[in-house]
Amino acid sequence: MGDQTGIEKSWDSDPKAWSKPIKPLEEKWKLVPAFLQVKGLVKQHIDSFNHFVNVDIKKIVEANQTVISDADPLFYLKYLDVRVGTPDIEDGYNITKATTPHECRLRDTTYSAPITVDIEYTRGAQRIIRNNLLIGRMPVMLRSSNCVLAGKSEFELAKMNECPLDPGGYFVVRGQEKVILIQEQLSWNKMITEEFNGTVQCQVTSSTHEKKSRTLVLSKHGKYYLKHNSMTDDIPIAVIFKAMGVTSDQEIMCLIGTDTETQNRFAPSLLEAFQLKVFTQQRALEYMGSKLVVKRFQSAANKTPAEEARELLTTTILAHVPVENFNFQIKSIYVSLMVRRVMTAELDPTAFDDRDYYGNKRLELAGSLISLMFEDLFKRMNWELKMIADKNIPKVKAAQFDVVKHMRAAQITVGLESAISSGNWTIKRFKMERAGVTQVLSRLSYISALGMMTRVNSQFEKTRKVSGPRSLQPSQWGMLCPSDTPEGEACGLVKNLALMTHITTEVDEGPVICLAFNAGVEDIRLIGGDVINNSKVFLVFINGNILGITISYKRLVQAFRMMRRKGRLGPFVSIHTSHTQRCVYIHTDGGRLCRPYIIVTNGKLAVEQRHIEELKRGVRKFEDFLHDGLVEYLDVNEENDSFIAWNEADITADATTHLEIEPFTLLGVCAGLVPYPHHNQSPRNTYQCAMGKQAMGVIGYNQKNRIDTLMYNLVYPQAPMVKSKTIELTGFDKLPAGQNATVAVMSYSGYDIEDALILNKASIDRGYGRCLIYKNSKCTVKRYANQTYDRIMGPVKDALTNKVIFKHDALDTDGIVAPGEMVVNKQILINKEMPAVTSINPIEQSGQTSQIPYTAVPISYKGPEPSYIEKVMVSANGEEDFLIKILLRQTRRPEIGDKFSSRHGQKGVTGLIVDQEDLPFNDYGICPDMIMNPHGFPSRMTVGKSLELLGGKAGLLEGKFHYGTAFGGSKCKDIQDELFKHGFNYMGKDYFYSGITGESLEAYIYSGPVYYQKLKHMVQDKMHARARGPKAVLTRQPTQGRSREGGLRLGEMERDCLISYGASMLIMERLMISSDAFDVDVCKTCGRLAYCSWCHYCQSSANVSKISMPYACKLLFQELTSMNVVPKLKLQNY
Amino acid sequence: MSTNIQRPRLYMDEHKLKQDPHDYGLADEPFNLETFKKKFQIVVVKYDGNEMEFDMIGVHPGIANAFRRLMLSEVPSMAIEKVYIYNNTSIMQDEVLAHRLGLIPLRADPRRFLYKTEESGDQGNEHDTLEFELKVKCTRRKDVKDSSNFDTIYKNHKVYSGQIKWLPKGKQSQIFSETDVGCIHDDILINQLRPGHELDLRLIAVKGIGKDHAKFSPVATAFYRLLPEIKLNRRIEGKEAFLLQKCFSPGVIGIDENDCAYVKDARYDTCSRNVYRYPQLENAVTMARVRDHYIFNVESVGALKPDVIFIEAVKVLKGKCRKFLEEIEAA
C-alpha cells in the first residue's frame, strides 16, 4: 500500500524524526462500513427524529404542561406524560390496526402513529386522571425507533414488502414519500463580527425555546450602539449598561477594558450617555422605554415603559443569556464582550468572522423541524382549550364542563401532515415562514433517493448573485461533498453530506458544565472587575453562553479531550480554543457537522492492526473504537484546531493529532460512484453527480410491488466492472443503474459529432439499454352527502355488431382494465360515472336510484405509444373511499436520440444505430456495443474514463472487479501488467478491421468496457410536431406545449429575422393565417367594429367592410372598449 | 506458398499501421480471373463441432468481408418470433419474457423452411413456422420440510429451455423427428418462478435473417483476422529472449538451447504489440500482417454446421450477384 519509495526517501532525509517507521494500517477502510452501520448518511435523520420522539416531545409537553383558565381558578389541565406509539391505520371508527409503510404508500394514507398523553384535570370539583388520550397523530419516519421496520432482519423486511437496502429517513404522507431536507443556517447564540454597509457590527441571533431574536452591537461615528428589532432607535451602549445596573462609568470601563487605547475609544460612548443625562438605571430604562416599538396589541397588564424596557432587556435582548431575578451581570459581560469584538475588528480587519465558515453553521434536521412544528401546534391546542374553558365554564349546563370532550386530535394531525406534505413551515411565534422544506423523495434511481437523504439546503436566497456562500469553503473538507452540487441557480447553495459526516443531536449541557468547573473554570458569576480582560485569562463559553474563565486553557482542553476519549463525556461534545479571541468554546448543541478521525499521539496511531483484525472478525464495533479512545469525532471547529494527517506518511511526531480514516470519505454518495474521480477535471465529477440521479436501473428490491407515478427500470442492469469502495458501501452494486458497454473510442460515420454515440443494433437486439417505464393512473370512487355515489360501468357494446366498442376494448367485465391488456391512446382504463348532482339535495324518491342522472367521467389512457396493464389495485384510502390504482407498463429499446452517459459527466445522445456487420471488429471478433468519438476527451480531460476502460478490460480478462476508489484504486501500471499477461496490448489499444470495407484500420483503437447509464430523457417522451390541432378557447390561437398537442411558436427573434428579410407575406401567414385569422366587420365612418355588416354606432350598413385580423387583436379591441377606451380603425384601399 | 513480393504486408508500428513501401494498395490490383484462380486458396485449419477456423488466401478484403457480413446477417435461421401468452403470473414482464425466448437458439434447419408470408396468416403453416409450447407451474413440495434450498422445496422454480415442447404442425411430425427440432441448449435459464407462479405460452418460430434481428443470426460470431508475421531483426538471447517471449502469445516465440529466441509460429499471436513496452526490444522485431491472408473464425450457434453456414453465405452472395446482373440486363 501507499507510495513505499516515498516513505523510504523521507526516512533517509530525516532519520531522527522517524525513529520508528509508521506502518500503514492495512484495511483501515473497514472502519467506514463499521461507521456506516451506526451513523452517517441517513442515520442522522433517524437519530434526530428518534431524539424528538423519545426525548424532545416529552420536554415540550413538560414545558407546556398546565392549562389554566381565567374563568375558574380551580380549573386546571395537566399533562403528566406523552408517548408516540407504533404506526397504525384507522379502519373505521375507533378500530385501528398496525400498518406497514408499504401499505400506506399503496393506499395513499399517512404512515403515522398516535400521540397519546396522560392527563390530570378537574371536572367541576372532581379531579380526574385520564390515561392514553389521543391528542394527534405523528407521521413516523421510516426506520426510526417507532417504525415497524426498526431492527428487522432482511427476511422480515421482505415480508413487509420493504427493500432491505432502502435507507429510510423519510415519511409517507398521503401515499407520498416525503423527505425533510437538511436545512443549513447560521449558528444561533454565536457572536459574529462583520462589516455591513461600512459599519463594523457584532451580531448574535439568540434562540431559545421561547424566543428567537437578533441583537447587534455596532459602531457609528466612533460611538457604540445596541440595535434590536424591538427598539425604534439604536440605543447608546452606555445606556444599555446603565439599564442593566452597571451605572458607574468605571464599572463599564472595567468590563470593556482598562488600557488607554480602549479608554480613548470608548470615551465618546460614555460621553453620549452623559449628554443624554442618563445616570441611573431607572433613567436608562426610561430612556429605553421611550424608544420601544409600539406594540399593536397591548397586553392586559399595564406596565410603565421603563418596566417594559426592563422586561425586554431580560427576555428578548440576547434572549439566550440567562437573567435571574433581574441580575444582569452575565448579560452585561456578554454585551461588553460584543463591544470588545467590534473594537478589535475595527483595529484589525482579520478579526472579522467568516459567515460562510462551517464552524459558524448549524444544520437543522427533521427532528428539530418537527419539534418546532409540534410545539407550535401543541401550544395552539392548549391555548384553544383555554379559550374554550374560559367561554364554557361560566355557562351553567346540565353536564359539567369536561375538557376532554373538547380535545380534538385532528388539529395536530392535520397540522403535521399538511406541513410535511406541502413543505410550508409556518410558525407564527417565531415569525418563521419557510417553503420547500420537504420534497418528494425522488425514486428515479436508488442513488437519487439516497442522494436526496444527504442533501443540505441553504436558507440563502437563490436569486442573489454573491459568490461567498456558493463557493467551496475550506472548512467543508470532509463534511460536505466538494463535487455534489447542482448547476445553475442553486449552485453551491444545495450541498450534499460526505460519506462519514454525522450531524450531532443535542446533549444535555449540565454535566459538561460540572466537568468544566472541576477542570479549573471559575464561574463567571463570581468574577468581578477587570479580571475578564486580563490577557492571561481565557473566557470559557458553553453553547454560546459565557460559563467562566480559566487561566490554564490548555489543561482544560486536555482534560475535556481525555474525558471524552475515556467515554466519560458524550462523543459529540467538542472543545476548541480561539487564540485570537482568547476564548475556549465548548459545544454540546445539535446540528453541528462532525466526522470521526483516528487519534494520533506523539506520532503513534491509537488504532493498531490488531484492532482492525478484531473488527474484521466482528468482535469489535465502531462504538468500541470510540469507547477505547482510538477514534473520536471532531466537529468543524475542533477539526480546525487539530493537525490531521492525510495518510500515515504525513504523520509527524510532534504535531500530528489525528489521522484521516479513509480519504475517499470526503466525497458524498453520488460522487462516490465515479471511478478514479481524482483523475478527472473537477466539474466533470459535478456533472456526473447530477446525472447519476437521472440514470435508470433498479430502485429497490420492492420495485415490483410499488405503484409509483413514474418509475424507470432497466431490464438487464449490471454492476459496474470498475467499482469503488463507496459503491460497495452504499449498495449500488446490488441496485445498479447502468450497463457495461464495450466501447471503441473512434470516429464513425459522422453521426457521432457533438458527443453523439453510435450503438450496435445487435447489442440492442440482445437487450442492451432496454428499459421498462411504469406509470400509474388512479381514481377514487366516492360516496356523496346526498346518498349518491360514483359507479363503475362495464364495457359498452355496439348495438349493431354486438361487439365491445373500441374505447372499451381493454376493459374487463367490471369496468376496470384487465391486467395484461394492451391499451392505446384514448382507450378507457376505468369506466367511471359520477352522479350529476352531488350537493346536498336529498332525493325524494328513495329506492329509485336508477333515475339518478349520471355523467361519464372515464379515466382514459393518453400517449402516442401503447402501454400494457401491469396490475390493478382496488383498495380504500384514508377517507374510506374506494381507491383504484392501475399500473401501466411500457418496454422501450434504445432509439436514436435517447440519452446515455458514462460515469464521468460525459453525456451524449444516440446518433446512429448500426448493424453489427457494419461495425469494426478486432482480432478476437469483438464488435463494440458503442462507439464514442475521441473528441470527447481532450477538452473534458476525463482521464478517469480512460482508466475505467482500461481497468474494466483487465477485469474482464482476470474475472474480477477492479477498484477505482477516489485517491486509491487499482494502479494504472498494475492494470497494464494484467492486460500484458493476457496477451492484450498494454495500452488497451486493439487492432481493428473496418466492418464496411473489410480492411484493417490504420490506427489502433482504444476499446474496452465502460459503465454507461441510460438517462431518463428519451425521444419518445419529447418528440412533438403538429400541422393542425387544438386551439385555446380565449384567443383562438394554437395551444402551448407538447402535452396539449400545441403549436411550435414562431417567436420574437424568428419574427425579427423575417422582418429584416422582408418576408412580409410569410409573417402574415405564420402570425395570422396559420394562427387565429378572423374576419371582422369594420365601419369605415366611425372606425369601430361592426356586426353582421351593421354598425351599431352609426346605425347603418353603408360603410361597413370586412377585413381579416388576428382574433387576439379583435379581443384586445373589445377588452379596451369594455374599459371605456375606444380603438378606432382607419381603413384604406391599397 | 508464394514469395514475399507477392504477399503484401501491413507493418504494425507502435502507434499506427504502416503499409509496405512497395505496396500500392488494393486499387492497383486489377482483378484477373486467371491469377485469382491461381492465387485463391481455402484451407480448413480447425473444425471442431460448432467452431471452424479456415484460411482464405489471395482474395480482396471486400470479398472476404462480404462472406463475413453475410454469415452474420443474411444467412437465415429459425428463431421464436411470436409468443402467445395465455398465462404469465411470474414476476417477469411479458415483453421481457418474449424477448428472452426469442434469443434462444433453435435446432431447426432453416433450409427446410420457407420465409413466412402474409398469406400464411398469424399462425403460419407447416412450411414456414414451428410451434412450441411452454407450460410450467411452480409448486411447493409438500414432502420436504426444514430446508431453505429452493431446489429442494420448490418444484419447477427454474424454467429452462429444455422445458419447451415442440408441437408438430400438419405433416411436420412425419418430416422431422424429435431430434431435428427443439432448443439447442437445454440449460438456458429462462425465468424463475415461486409457488403459485405459472407460465402458459405458445411460441411461434419463423425463419429470418440477422439483419432483421440479431436472434436470427446463425453464428455466435464470424470474423476474420489477417495472418500475423513476426521477424526478428537481430539476435536476441538470454534475459532479453525471455522478455521477448513474454511479449507475445504463448508458443509464438521459441527459445533454443543457446537461449536464443526464434519465431516458432506467428499464426496464433494476438498481435498485442507489447514489445513496444520495452524500449530495448522496440527495434528487435518487425511485426506485420499478410494483407491477403484471412484467418476466418466461424462459430455457429448450433442450428447449422459452420461449413454449411459458409456455403450458405456463398449461396446468398451468388443469389445477390445473379439478381444484380438481372437488374443490369433489365436496364
Side-chain angles (χ1 to χ4, degrees), chain A residues 236 239 270-279 283 287 291:
Chain A
V239 176
L270 288 176
L271 187 66
E272 198 177 16
F274 176 81
Q275 281 161 345
L276 290 169
K277 300 203 169 59
V278 175
F279 302 109
R283 181 69 197 93
Y287 176 82
K291 300 282 181 191

Side-chain angles (χ1 to χ4, degrees), chain A residues 774 889 918 923 983 985 998, chain B residues 69 93 95 214 224 270 272 289:
Chain A
Y774 290 98
R889 156 170 47 89
D918 287 337
D923 273 342
N985 178 249
Chain B
R69 292 169 59 91
Q93 298 81 0
E95 300 94 292
Y224 59 75
T270 53
S272 61
R289 312 202 79 162

Side-chain angles (χ1 to χ4, degrees), chain A residues 322-336:
Chain A
V323 173
E324 281 163 39
N325 273 332
F326 302 113
N327 178 355
F328 289 103
Q329 191 208 0
I330 303 179
K331 203 167 263 188
S332 57
I333 294 173
Y334 199 92
V335 174
S336 71

Side-chain angles (χ1 to χ4, degrees), chain A residues 46-310:
Chain A
I46 296 168
D47 279 359
S48 135
F49 187 77
N50 283 348
H51 183 260
F52 163 64
V53 161
N54 300 320
V55 183
D56 231 21
I57 195 168
K58 292 200 199 271
K59 277 191 194 159
I60 290 169
V61 171
E62 203 180 296
N64 306 290
Q65 65 175 339
T66 45
V67 179
I68 45 171
S69 166
D70 297 338
D72 182 5
L74 287 176
F75 172 81
Y76 73 94
L77 165 70
K78 192 173 170 194
Y79 294 96
L80 302 172
D81 195 14
V82 63
R83 283 171 304 272
V84 178
T86 50
D88 55 18
I89 206 161
E90 277 172 26
D91 260 354
Y93 185 70
N94 266 355
I95 308 161
T96 57
K97 83 178 204 329
T99 185
T100 61
H102 197 72
E103 187 189 348
C104 296
R105 278 193 279 251
L106 290 180
R107 287 181 55 186
D108 284 359
T109 54
T110 305
Y111 185 61
S112 59
I115 312 168
T116 51
V117 286
D118 296 345
I119 55 166
E120 183 186 306
Y121 68 103
T122 55
R123 185 170 66 198
Q126 258 181 313
R127 197 171 69 192
I128 296 170
I129 290 183
R130 281 283 293 270
N131 287 341
N132 287 329
L133 197 73
L134 184 79
I135 57 161
R137 297 180 64 82
M138 169 74 57
V140 172
M141 181 182 276
L142 272 79
R143 307 240 167 172
S144 70
S145 61
N146 286 54
C147 176
V148 290
L149 308 176
K152 289 288 193 298
S153 70
E154 213 162 291
F155 178 74
E156 287 168 306
L157 289 172
K159 283 223 138 174
M160 289 189 273
N161 276 328
E162 204 58 42
C163 176
L165 289 166
D166 185 78
Y170 55 91
F171 300 88
V172 179
V173 177
R174 293 170 198 164
Q176 267 190 323
E177 293 167 315
K178 287 278 185 178
V179 187
I180 299 185
L181 295 184
I182 306 170
Q183 304 288 321
E184 175 194 301
Q185 45 191 230
L186 217 54
S187 181
W188 317 279
N189 308 344
K190 190 154 196 163
M191 289 181 213
I192 287 176
T193 323
E194 59 188 352
E195 199 169 339
F196 184 75
N197 287 344
T199 54
V200 181
Q201 60 179 38
C202 176
Q203 64 154 322
V204 177
T205 316
S206 312
S207 165
T208 59
H209 270 301
E210 282 78 39
K211 281 262 159 55
K212 275 191 169 48
S213 76
R214 209 168 75 119
T215 315
L216 292 162
V217 167
L218 46 90
S219 119
K220 219 160 55 179
H221 317 299
K223 286 175 277 192
Y224 299 97
Y225 297 91
L226 186 134
K227 189 186 176 119
H228 194 270
N229 261 350
S230 58
M231 283 174 303
T232 49
D233 248 332
D234 300 349
I235 309 291
I237 205 76
V239 176
I240 295 287
F241 278 116
K242 287 184 182 179
M244 288 193 293
V246 188
T247 41
S248 77
D249 290 356
Q250 197 207 343
E251 272 181 286
I252 296 174
M253 278 327 290
C254 272
L255 288 171
I256 308 259
T258 43
D259 53 299
T260 336
E261 172 67 25
T262 317
Q263 284 188 29
N264 288 340
R265 293 186 72 84
F266 199 71
S269 301
L270 288 176
L271 187 66
E272 198 177 16
F274 176 81
Q275 281 161 345
L276 290 169
K277 300 203 169 59
V278 175
F279 302 109
T280 62
Q281 185 173 12
Q282 186 57 33
R283 181 69 197 93
L285 287 171
E286 276 162 18
Y287 176 82
M288 277 178 74
S290 69
K291 300 282 181 191
L292 286 182
V293 171
V294 185
K295 277 188 199 154
R296 238 178 291 168
F297 304 105
Q298 208 66 39
S299 53
N302 268 327
K303 283 182 188 163
T304 62
E307 274 171 338
E308 236 167 86
R310 191 171 69 160

